Amino acid sequence: WRVLGFALALAVCVTLLFGLLPALRASSIEPASALKGGEDPHSRRRLMRLLIAVQVAFCFLVLFATGLLVSTFERLSNQPTGFSSQGLLTLDTVAKPAQPTVFWYQIAEYLRTVPGVEKAALAAWPLLSGNGQNGFVAVNGAPPHPLLAYFLSVSPGWLDTMKIPLLDGRDFRSEDTYPGVAIVNQAFAKEYFNGEDPIGKSFEKTNVDRSFEIIGLVRDARYRNMREPITPTAYLPLRLNDPKEALSDATFLVRTSSSNPLSLAPLLRQEIPRVRSGFRIANVRTQKEIDDAQTVRERLLAMLASFFAVVALLLAGIGLYGVMNYFVIQRRREIGIRMALGAQAAHIGRLISFDVLVTVATGALAGLGLGMAAARYLATLLYEVKPTDAGMIAIPALAIFTVAFLATAPAIIRAIHINPAAMLRAE
C-alpha cells in the first residue's frame, strides 16, 4: 500500500505541476481578446514545436543510453571464457577437521563413478568466482617481473573437466605435489618467456623458496572476471608436498551428462559425507550461475534502460500524435483554401510533415549532444562500446523517426481528406 500510495501521489503531483501553467493561461484569457481570435496561433505552434523537440531530445537521450548499456551487456555475456560451463556443477566443500589431500582425491575418484557424472576434479575455488591468489614471478634469476601472475591449485583431471585444451606438455599426475611443477597458460608464456615454448623451463614465486618446473601449456581461460584481460596464470598441484598438511576447504568440479546439472545436487550432497565423514557441502552452484553473476549489474541496467526506452518512445509517439492532430484542426481552414485553389494531396502531406521533420530532427540533434555529454558519466559502466559507434547513433535515430512517422500518419491522412467546400461553408 505504501508503494501504491507513493505512485498515486507522484502521478497526481506531476499532473498538477504540468497542468498548472495551461490552466493559468486559460483562466487569464480576456473575452474581448478571445472574440477577436485569441492569441497569435503562430506563437502557440512555436511553443508546441519547442515542447515536442524537448520530448524528442529526452527520448533520444534515453535510447542512446539504452543502446550503450544493452551493447555492454551483450558483449560481456558473449565474451569467451576459455572453458565450457555446460553441465558443470561446483560443490564448495568444507572438512572439519581439515583432511589430508589424499582423502579429497579419493572423493573425487568416487564421484566419477556416480551415475550421471562424466568427470570430476578438485580446485581451490571455481573460475570467475571472485576468489584469487596472485604474486610476483622471477625467471632465470632475474628480479621479479612487475606484472602480477595469478595462481590456482587444481587436481589431475581438472583441465579435462573444465575442457581447457592442453596445447603442449602433460597434465598433473597424482604424484605431482606443491611446490614443484606447474602448468601455465598462453598469457603466462607470452609475458614471462616472450612467447617461447615454456615446457621444461622454470620460474620462482617470490614467497616460495623452490622453483616450479613448467610441465604443460594450456589455452587461456578467464580467471577472476569478464572485464579484465586474460591474466598470466599458473596452475599448481593441489596436493601438498608435506603429507601432514591438510585441506579444510576446496571445490569439487563435476561435469554431468544432464542438461540440468542441479538435478544431481541432492544425490551428491548425500554421497560425499557418506564416502568420508567430516566432509560437508557448503554450497552448490552451476558454473553457468557463476558466469552469469559476472554480468548481474549489466543485465539489470540493460533491463531497466530498455523499459524506460519503451516508455519514452511511447510518450513521444503519443505527444506527436496529439500535437499533429491539433495542428490539423487549427489549420483546417488554411488547408481547405489551399485545396480549393488546386493544391494536391502530396503538397498538403509535405506541408504537414515538413514541420514534424524539422522538429524531430532538431530534437534528435539536441538529444545526440546530450547523449555524448552523458556518455562520459557512463564510461565506467561500458565495455568495448564507444558512443561514437555508428550503430549507437543510427538505432535511436531510426526508432524515433519511425515512431514519428507512425504518430503523424493519421493527422496527414486526415488533412488530405478535408473537404474544401464543407470547410469554406463552415467558416
Side-chain angles (χ1 to χ4, degrees):
W1 287 108
R2 288 195 300 270
V3 175
L4 179 60
F6 174 79
L8 289 174
L10 185 62
V12 171
C13 289
V14 171
T15 303
L16 291 176
L17 177 65
F18 285 92
L20 183 60
L21 181 60
L24 291 176
R25 291 185 63 187
S27 63
S28 64
I29 294 177
E30 297 182 1
S33 174
L35 293 174
K36 294 178 181 179
E39 60 180 316
D40 182 11
H42 296 290
S43 63
R44 282 202 304 270
R45 292 174 194 168
R46 284 195 294 270
L47 176 61
M48 297 189 74
R49 289 194 191 102
L50 176 62
L51 293 176
I52 289 298
V54 170
Q55 190 174 30
V56 169
F58 175 76
C59 183
F60 192 99
L61 174 62
V62 174
L63 290 173
F64 185 74
T66 299
L68 293 175
L69 295 173
V70 170
S71 296
T72 291
F73 170 65
E74 289 181 349
R75 295 187 185 188
L76 270 178
S77 300
N78 295 324
Q79 281 291 308
T81 60
F83 56 86
S84 173
S85 302
Q86 189 68 31
L88 193 60
L89 201 62
T90 68
L91 311 173
D92 298 331
T93 307
V94 296
K96 292 183 179 180
Q99 300 291 326
T101 315
V102 64
F103 290 173
W104 291 83
Y105 279 28
Q106 288 173 0
I107 294 177
E109 187 66 30
Y110 173 79
L111 290 177
R112 298 185 186 106
T113 66
V114 174
V117 174
E118 295 181 347
K119 299 169 186 176
L122 266 169
W125 47 75
L127 293 175
L128 296 178
S129 63
N131 296 320
Q133 179 191 13
N134 57 27
F136 292 102
V137 167
V139 178
N140 298 327
H145 195 282
L147 180 66
L148 283 169
Y150 282 81
F151 304 94
L152 178 62
S153 299
V154 301
S155 71
W158 180 83
L159 294 174
D160 194 26
T161 302
M162 298 298 296
K163 293 190 176 181
I164 299 176
L166 182 66
L167 304 178
D168 197 5
R170 66 172 178 85
D171 194 1
F172 292 129
R173 297 170 183 157
S174 58
E175 63 269 18
D176 291 326
T177 58
Y178 175 91
V181 294
I183 297 173
V184 301
N185 68 351
Q186 293 169 295
F188 192 101
K190 180 180 179 181
E191 188 65 38
Y192 303 113
F193 296 97
N194 298 319
E196 298 176 0
D197 185 3
I199 302 299
K201 298 179 181 179
S202 301
F203 66 89
E204 296 82 32
K205 286 179 65 178
T206 53
N207 61 339
V208 179
D209 293 335
R210 290 180 53 182
S211 63
F212 293 80
E213 180 188 355
I214 299 174
I215 61 171
L217 175 67
V218 296
R219 186 171 295 170
D220 288 335
R222 294 192 176 275
Y223 186 101
R224 290 199 311 166
N225 61 62
M226 301 292 284
R227 281 183 172 266
E228 67 181 5
I230 298 291
T231 55
T233 305
Y235 302 103
L236 309 176
L238 188 66
R239 187 170 184 175
L240 304 177
N241 195 23
D242 185 355
K244 296 180 181 179
E245 295 287 346
L247 289 175
S248 60
D249 61 89
T251 299
F252 289 101
L253 287 304
V254 178
R255 184 166 295 281
T256 70
S257 57
S258 172
S259 58
N260 179 22
L262 283 175
S263 61
L264 278 178
L267 174 63
L268 297 178
R269 280 186 179 275
Q270 296 174 357
E271 289 298 309
I272 289 180
R274 190 179 66 81
V275 175
R276 280 284 177 186
S277 61
F279 286 81
R280 179 178 62 86
I281 296 180
N283 192 20
V284 179
R285 294 173 293 175
T286 65
Q287 184 65 49
K288 186 69 168 58
E289 287 179 52
I290 298 174
D291 297 351
D292 291 343
Q294 291 286 320
T295 56
V296 167
R297 181 183 66 175
E298 288 77 13
R299 183 185 299 108
L300 177 61
L301 288 174
M303 290 174 61
L304 288 174
S306 299
F307 169 77
F308 286 116
V310 171
V311 172
L313 273 176
L314 181 63
L315 292 178
I318 293 172
L320 275 170
Y321 175 81
V323 168
M324 289 308 300
N325 274 284
Y326 177 78
F327 278 174
V328 170
I329 292 172
Q330 291 296 310
R331 301 179 67 177
R332 61 186 183 275
R333 182 171 182 273
E334 173 193 344
I335 293 171
I337 293 173
R338 288 176 180 272
M339 297 180 72
L341 295 176
Q344 300 298 315
H347 174 76
I348 299 300
R350 285 195 299 269
L351 177 69
I352 300 299
S353 61
F354 179 76
D355 286 342
V356 179
L357 180 63
V358 172
T359 303
V360 172
T362 303
L365 288 175
L368 177 60
L370 291 173
M372 290 298 179
R376 293 182 299 173
Y377 301 98
L378 295 175
T380 56
L381 301 175
L382 305 181
Y383 179 77
E384 293 186 353
V385 178
K386 294 181 180 179
T388 54
D389 291 345
M392 297 299 101
I393 299 173
I395 293 176
L398 180 62
I400 285 177
F401 279 99
T402 300
V403 169
F405 171 77
L406 295 176
T408 57
I412 295 174
I413 294 173
R414 177 178 295 178
I416 63 179
H417 283 88
I418 287 177
N419 187 334
M423 189 58 60
L424 294 175
R425 282 199 300 271
E427 291 295 335

